[in-house]
Amino acid sequence: MRPEPLTGEASVVDGHGAAYVGTADAIEAAIERLRSIRDEDSTIAKAFDRVRDAAGDVSEQIARARSRYDVTGQALVDYAAELRIAQTSADDAIKRWDAADAAAGDAEDRRKDLEAATPDDAVGDPVGDQAAVVAAHEAARQEAYDDWLVAVERKRSAAEEAEARIRAEVEDAEINDSFWDDLWGGITDLFEAIADAIVAVLEWIAAVVLVAVAVIVLAAIAVAMLAVGGIVALLGGLLLAAVVLFVANGGAEAFVRTLLRTGEIDAALMAGAIETLRTTAPGVLDWLVAQDAGQPEPKWNREKVVERDLDDATAGDLLAELQAGNRDVDAVAGAPDGYDSSNATMITVTEVVGADGVARYRVNIPSTQQWIPGTDGINDIASDAAAKLGEDPTQLEAAVRRAMAEAGVPDGAGVVLSGWSLGGITAANLAADPSFTARYDVDAVVVAGAPVDDVPVPSHIPVLSVEHVGDPVPLLEDPSGGYHRDDPNRTRIEVDPPADAPFVPHEGAAYETTLQQQGDLPGSVAQEWVDRVGLDRYFSATETQHASVYQRGGQGVAR
């Protein structure tokens, strides 16, 4: 039986392991900061004493998590190294096996020819000599097969060792649940049950209040009709209808649950409005999502070399450059006449070869540019609805995959996904898709002005999310989804918009300014995040940019 190549993506395993180790380093840095607060004696106020005590307690709690990330990450890195060696050895053995097998077959054919043609009184033993040649090739084939078995065993042993190291850490770590943890878990479940009861009571109270409001509004309408006529009556009726819909169609429940979960009144109101709309007009939302069905049609692509001046580039420069790339794809910059942001969608994939010789890739994804459904672009309002409320991948997500394939991004390559608004939603959705992360090693996700707290991006992928105070778009999470803002891989920055931002600060240029400012702020969270993930690996003086333009396609268009 011919030996087969050993399966496994060493680069993907190595990337995941490095991400876990990086998380452990970030935890260690957080521990040091908290312990420095605990040990700070320059401030003696009682209020600060509490902060110091809390910081000490928290530092000890998260210290117990560091070992798990560190041991798991190092085990994966070590396994990836062993897997590479085993695969290389196996491939070499397979080549030698193929050569020996072919030679043995040829030698056996020669032996048979000699056996048929050699007379009984021939001098010497040519048939026997040829048989010895056959045996030598067969021995070489067996030796290659034995070497292949050694490689198989090396992979198996490395996998078992990595599994044992991780299992021992998981089973023995102090972070595991103790009796008191289990007790606290029970108490937490009790609190959740109490929260459910509170929601039910609040809904009952809301219904009672609704009746009272209805009576008051009806009385006010009657008085208004007598006083100023039908306009006020109409407005009052609309207000009453809105209250009825909000309470009767799940808006009140979504409001209360989101308020308890986030503590933010604006997010709770948005969740209530979304749930009310979903329940009141499900057909409309379903229709809107259905407009995104199908596969994108490629229309144009171009590859060009880009020269960049990256001398003394700061963290702010790198973050701002990502957002500048997002704005370029928004504008369909560089596309031929006939394609613009009103009828087409651009995605860019930029290849960066680092000093280590490894190729890595930046992917820029556009925001919403068409605000009505049924357009030729695949970043319209239907794309937004499908990205947040649909169950299937959007055409924009499919276009990103296709653009990466057309740009020649190999399996296991390191990738940074970047986008703002819809582009940020799409980046997070792709990072949360197991089929995408099984193919590519997503090193980081950078989004701005995007509602991504409900997207379950795996914990080994660092996410930087920047939001402006007063921007309503980041609040548009699905109220029925999860809540991942506090996940350990999330870094969320919410700051006031720049002075020149519009009244509603949901603007690409304003976010570019904010990313620059936050990255350049000494000691900022953004600066620390850029350094921790090694974002500079994704930029170089000479880069190859692959731009692709797509339009909306129907069912059955090839991916």
Side-chain angles (χ1 to χ4, degrees):
M1 181 180 68
R2 180 183 184 275
E4 296 295 331
L6 301 187
T7 59
E9 295 290 345
S11 59
V12 174
V13 176
D14 188 46
H16 292 334
Y20 277 115
V21 173
T23 301
D25 292 341
I27 291 174
E28 181 64 28
I31 293 170
E32 291 303 318
R33 293 192 189 98
L34 290 169
R35 286 177 176 169
S36 67
I37 294 173
R38 178 196 62 189
D39 299 334
E40 173 62 53
D41 293 326
S42 61
T43 305
I44 59 174
K46 290 184 178 179
F48 199 78
D49 285 343
R50 291 186 179 181
V51 173
R52 283 202 298 266
D53 293 341
D57 292 341
V58 172
S59 71
E60 298 310 317
Q61 291 173 18
I62 66 175
R64 293 195 287 269
R66 183 194 183 282
S67 177
R68 177 167 293 186
Y69 279 96
D70 190 35
V71 170
T72 300
Q74 196 58 55
L76 291 176
V77 170
D78 293 345
Y79 169 66
E82 286 294 301
L83 176 59
R84 286 192 180 95
I85 295 173
Q87 288 176 324
T88 300
S89 299
D91 291 344
D92 177 68
I94 292 170
K95 291 179 181 177
R96 290 188 287 113
W97 190 95
D98 287 339
D101 186 62
D106 292 341
E108 176 61 18
D109 291 340
R110 174 62 178 162
R111 188 197 65 80
K112 290 178 180 178
D113 292 342
L114 286 172
E115 188 175 42
T118 302
D120 294 339
D121 58 350
V123 178
D125 186 11
V127 175
D129 293 342
Q130 187 62 26
V133 173
V134 172
H137 289 310
E138 289 177 343
R141 182 176 61 191
Q142 184 61 47
E143 180 182 359
Y145 190 81
D146 292 341
D147 290 344
W148 177 79
L149 290 176
V150 171
V152 171
E153 177 61 21
R154 182 164 191 164
K155 175 189 173 183
R156 186 194 65 79
S157 297
E160 288 183 352
E161 180 184 353
E163 179 186 2
R165 289 164 63 184
I166 295 171
R167 189 178 297 279
E169 175 64 23
V170 170
E171 292 176 351
D172 298 338
E174 294 181 12
I175 196 174
N176 286 340
D177 290 348
S178 64
F179 166 78
W180 298 109
D181 294 323
D182 294 336
L183 177 61
W184 179 248
I187 294 173
T188 301
D189 292 340
L190 176 61
F191 282 160
E192 290 178 354
I194 293 173
D196 291 339
I198 291 174
V199 170
V201 170
L202 288 174
E203 287 181 328
W204 179 81
I205 293 174
V208 173
V209 171
L210 177 62
V211 174
V213 169
V215 172
I216 294 172
V217 171
L218 287 173
I221 290 173
V223 173
M225 290 180 66
L226 294 174
V228 295
I231 296 298
V232 173
L234 176 60
L235 294 176
L238 291 175
L239 174 62
L240 177 60
V243 174
V244 171
L245 290 174
F246 192 76
V247 175
N249 290 330
E253 179 181 356
F255 172 86
V256 173
R257 288 193 181 278
T258 304
L259 184 62
L260 291 174
R261 185 174 63 182
T262 67
E264 297 181 358
I265 189 70
D266 50 358
L269 286 170
M270 192 67 71
I274 292 173
E275 190 60 32
T276 299
L277 178 61
R278 172 186 282 162
T279 307
T280 305
V284 173
L285 291 179
D286 291 344
W287 173 82
L288 197 58
V289 170
Q291 302 309 298
D292 190 65
Q295 297 297 325
E297 292 184 352
K299 294 297 181 181
W300 173 85
N301 65 74
R302 175 215 61 205
E303 184 173 282
K304 70 174 183 178
V305 175
V306 178
E307 302 290 340
R308 296 185 183 277
D309 182 7
L310 294 176
D311 292 340
D312 302 320
T314 65
D317 293 336
L318 301 182
L319 292 173
E321 185 62 35
L322 284 178
Q323 180 63 4
N326 298 334
R327 295 179 63 202
D328 283 344
V329 292
D330 279 356
V332 196
D337 292 342
Y339 298 115
D340 55 41
S341 60
S342 69
N343 65 6
T345 301
M346 175 179 283
I347 296 162
T348 58
V349 180
T350 304
E351 179 183 11
V352 178
V353 179
D356 55 4
V358 176
R360 299 178 178 89
Y361 299 84
R362 299 196 312 267
V363 181
N364 289 100
I365 309 170
S367 66
T368 308
Q369 295 299 305
Q370 305 94 26
W371 292 98
I372 58 174
T375 66
D376 287 332
I378 55 175
N379 51 335
D380 62 5
I381 194 66
S383 305
D384 287 284
K388 295 310 299 180
L389 303 176
E391 297 181 357
D392 298 323
T394 65
Q395 290 205 31
L396 184 56
E397 290 172 35
V400 172
R401 292 173 182 265
R402 179 156 189 162
M404 293 176 68
E406 291 175 345
V409 181
D411 291 356
V415 174
V416 164
L417 300 174
S418 175
W420 82 284
S421 195
L422 172 61
I425 299 171
T426 304
N429 285 351
L430 287 168
D433 187 337
S435 67
F436 187 84
T437 53
R439 182 169 184 181
Y440 303 112
D441 185 13
V442 181
D443 275 343
V445 176
V446 182
V447 305
V452 296
D453 290 345
D454 56 339
V455 183
V457 177
S459 60
H460 70 275
I461 300 176
V463 178
L464 177 65
S465 177
V466 178
E467 301 175 11
H468 284 154
V469 174
D471 183 355
V473 175
L475 304 175
L476 295 174
E477 276 110 8
D478 182 355
S480 64
Y483 182 68
H484 301 278
R485 178 187 297 177
D486 298 329
D487 287 1
N489 61 318
R490 297 294 182 107
T491 299
R492 176 175 175 265
I493 301 173
E494 185 178 20
V495 294
D496 290 329
D500 59 352
F503 177 74
V504 177
H506 188 71
E507 182 193 54
Y511 272 112
E512 184 176 340
T513 299
T514 295
L515 286 163
Q516 180 83 57
Q517 292 173 344
Q518 289 299 306
D520 288 342
L521 186 65
S524 67
V525 172
Q527 193 174 82
E528 186 275 333
W529 187 91
V530 168
D531 293 340
R532 173 161 51 87
V533 303
L535 191 62
D536 57 335
R537 298 174 300 159
Y538 282 86
F539 294 85
S540 66
T542 302
E543 302 174 344
T544 302
Q545 184 188 84
H546 187 99
S548 300
V549 168
Y550 299 88
Q551 288 185 331
R552 186 172 297 285
Q555 296 285 355
V557 177
R559 186 185 289 265

